[in-house]
Amino acid sequence: MAYRDLVRGWHEGILAMDKGDWDSALKIFSSIEEPSSRIYFNIGCVHLLTGNLEGALQAFDKTVTKDNHLAIGFFQRGFVCLQLEMYEEALYDFSMALTHLRNNPFIDYKQLGLRHVLCAWEVLYNTAAVQCQLGLWQEARITLEEAIRQRPEGRTTSLDVALEWVQNHLFLEPIHVPLGEFFRPRKEEVEQLDSKDFLGKPKVRHPTLQKGQSYCKNVSMGP
């Protein structure tokens, strides 16, 4: 599929999502040939909005298959696995999300079109939420203490409360990318949909010829 056509379908799918027309959004995204990891991610987010956890899981499976370094993809799949009580799978996904954060405190996905910053403390918090479900209360406490160390100073109140919950053997509510946030094509790409070819090169617009003029250049046939 030409990249221009992918962007066009991507943009049309986003417009449908912004209107809350989930069925149309899924139909448009599903019609895209060779979807990117970000398209699959969006499909997963739509399924989450409609409560289709199995559909979301399949979409996030394809997300991380397309891009096995996409930390936010593993994070979202881990959340779905947790909802489906697939706890070991959830632990694996949150571990992979941390791995692909590469010891960074966060990854800002704005440049890739997603208005979300994935923080290491969020991944650790969800890891602790899974450990609680498995009855690993001591491990959950240690994980939350690490999350507190990684969260910016002055913003640890909610984690302090979570730590108290764990100490009282109360389950944690997992977090995820806010509903309604999707990967969007770049504004520049959308604006130039009709002025670029599939390689992203500007189209050549030939000047209008006057009567009697020729567009051909003089070509030397030899010395």
Side-chain angles (χ1 to χ4, degrees):
M1 167 179 275
Y3 185 68
R4 178 184 59 192
D5 294 330
L6 185 149
V7 172
R8 189 184 303 280
W10 187 0
H11 177 56
E12 291 174 354
I14 288 294
L15 292 178
M17 293 169 84
D18 286 340
K19 295 176 182 178
D21 190 349
W22 313 128
D23 289 339
S24 293
L26 285 176
K27 183 177 180 180
I28 293 170
F29 286 141
S30 298
S31 68
I32 295 176
E33 297 179 16
E34 299 182 11
S36 65
S37 60
R38 287 178 283 178
I39 298 298
Y40 280 128
F41 183 93
N42 286 354
I43 292 174
C45 288
V46 175
H47 284 308
L48 276 181
L49 279 164
T50 60
N52 182 0
L53 292 176
E54 292 292 346
L57 180 60
Q58 292 178 15
F60 291 130
D61 279 344
K62 294 176 180 178
T63 300
V64 297
T65 297
K66 277 283 186 176
D67 185 352
N68 59 10
H69 297 287
L70 190 66
I72 196 76
F74 285 105
F75 181 74
Q76 284 292 87
R77 190 174 71 171
F79 170 79
V80 174
C81 287
L82 180 49
Q83 299 301 303
L84 291 171
E85 301 183 1
M86 300 167 59
Y87 300 130
E88 295 297 335
E89 291 85 349
L91 279 179
Y92 170 81
D93 280 341
F94 293 136
S95 174
M96 291 300 293
L98 276 178
T99 296
H100 294 305
L101 275 163
R102 299 182 180 181
N103 294 319
N104 293 307
F106 64 86
I107 294 179
D108 188 346
Y109 285 93
K110 184 177 180 180
Q111 288 188 337
L112 291 179
L114 178 67
R115 294 175 297 197
H116 185 71
V117 177
L118 177 65
C119 298
W121 73 262
E122 293 177 308
V123 182
L124 290 167
Y125 171 89
N126 274 9
T127 301
V130 180
Q131 291 168 331
C132 290
Q133 293 291 337
L134 291 171
L136 304 174
W137 300 103
Q138 180 70 4
E139 289 84 346
R141 180 185 64 79
I142 294 172
T143 301
L144 278 177
E145 289 173 347
E146 177 61 25
I148 291 172
R149 284 192 290 270
Q150 294 208 27
R151 189 164 183 179
E153 294 183 8
R155 300 186 60 187
T156 61
T157 303
S158 61
L159 289 177
D160 290 334
V161 172
L163 187 57
E164 291 181 8
W165 278 49
V166 170
Q167 290 170 340
N168 291 315
H169 288 195
L170 298 174
F171 296 111
L172 302 177
E173 187 69 25
I175 55 182
H176 54 81
V177 174
L179 297 177
E181 293 297 339
F182 318 108
F183 277 110
R184 300 169 182 270
R186 290 189 302 167
K187 181 180 178 181
E188 294 82 0
E189 291 179 324
V190 173
E191 291 175 344
Q192 297 173 359
L193 277 175
D194 296 322
S195 62
K196 287 189 173 184
D197 65 14
F198 72 99
L199 292 176
K201 298 178 181 178
K203 289 182 178 179
V204 176
R205 296 186 179 277
H206 300 304
T208 302
L209 300 179
Q210 300 297 321
K211 185 176 182 179
Q213 290 183 316
S214 172
Y215 184 70
C216 298
K217 295 180 179 180
N218 292 328
V219 179
S220 174
M221 300 301 293

